[in-house]
Amino acid sequence: MGDGERGRGDLSAAARLDWLRLIRSENVGPVIFRQLLARYGSAGAALQALPALARRGGRRRIKLCTVAAAEDELAAAEAIGARPLASWEAAYPQRLGALADPPPLIYVLGDVTRLAAPAVAIVGARNASASAIRYTQRLARDLGEGGLLIASGLARGIDTAAHAGALQSGTVAVMAGGIDVVYPAENEALYENIIAQGAAISEMPPGTRPQARQFPRR
């Protein structure tokens, strides 16, 4: 059975390495990743096929993520206590996995079991009014007490208020950059509290500084 089928259990260490290498390879995004897995049945087989596919597409070579680079990334995640989670694995958030192009692999820091709870996202303006901040905190607190996990992006304004309101019930921060890179820096204490009582997730390698193009996908 290939590792392209979702929901069958944890990946082996070798399969996880292949998944990471494939998604970090040149011109492979979530859509192409999914197509390759469907066609070849495993990330390892897709990696072997990519050079020939590139040649047929008119390119002499394609830059594949090396084993060493993937091992270094996984080691960096392990060093900060972040868990890599592939979309095939049972602990991967079901609603995220239901998207047409879910991130093939995310990092989770904090309580991974939180990700199984019914969730609602609260996001909004960075330059929010004081009344909007108070309303958001109250809404997030009430929804959290009602059993919903509050997801937001750790940005200034409404995102910060949503996380703050839901701290006691649990909230998840979806990071635009690496899971260990807090942006804005002023939310460092909030981030630590989120990790302690909820979780943070990111599809980017640890240490990645967030760039403008990453925020819309986040």
Side-chain angles (χ1 to χ4, degrees):
M1 183 179 295
D3 58 5
E5 296 183 42
R6 184 177 180 274
R8 301 296 185 182
D10 292 343
L11 292 180
S12 67
R16 190 184 309 280
L17 192 68
D18 286 341
W19 271 58
L20 183 57
R21 288 187 63 208
L22 184 58
I23 191 56
R24 298 290 187 248
S25 291
E26 186 180 18
N27 293 335
V28 178
V31 174
I32 297 298
F33 183 100
R34 195 176 186 121
Q35 292 172 345
L36 289 169
L37 232 60
R39 179 172 179 178
Y40 295 103
S42 74
L47 284 165
Q48 293 179 352
L50 268 178
L53 288 174
R55 287 193 296 270
R56 287 203 295 269
R59 299 187 60 173
R60 291 187 177 181
R61 63 183 62 183
I62 186 170
K63 186 177 180 180
L64 300 180
C65 176
T66 65
V67 171
E71 288 177 338
D72 286 347
E73 182 176 324
L74 290 174
E78 183 178 6
I80 59 173
R83 174 180 173 179
L85 199 59
S87 60
W88 180 77
E89 297 180 280
Y92 191 92
Q94 290 187 359
R95 292 158 189 81
L96 184 60
L99 296 177
D101 58 343
L105 189 142
I106 60 174
Y107 290 105
V108 182
L109 193 56
D111 185 359
V112 70
T113 65
R114 293 281 192 179
L115 304 181
V120 61
I122 299 179
V123 296
R126 287 167 171 78
N127 297 317
S129 66
S131 61
I133 294 294
R134 289 193 298 270
Y135 175 79
T136 300
Q137 288 179 332
R138 185 169 64 251
L139 176 63
R141 183 179 63 251
D142 291 346
L143 290 173
E145 290 175 351
L148 290 172
L149 176 72
I150 304 302
S152 198
L154 201 65
R156 294 185 181 94
I158 296 300
D159 289 24
T160 294
H163 287 307
L167 274 178
Q168 296 304 313
S169 58
T171 180
V172 58
V174 183
M175 315 287 284
I179 200 165
D180 55 338
V181 180
V182 180
Y183 182 85
E186 66 201 51
N187 275 347
E188 180 72 38
L190 176 61
Y191 168 84
E192 295 295 339
N193 285 328
I194 291 171
I195 298 300
Q197 302 184 69
I201 66 173
S202 174
E203 63 180 300
M204 304 303 294
T208 301
R209 307 302 303 181
Q211 300 178 6
R213 61 182 173 81
Q214 294 162 346
F215 286 94
R217 177 167 175 81
R218 182 277 310 270

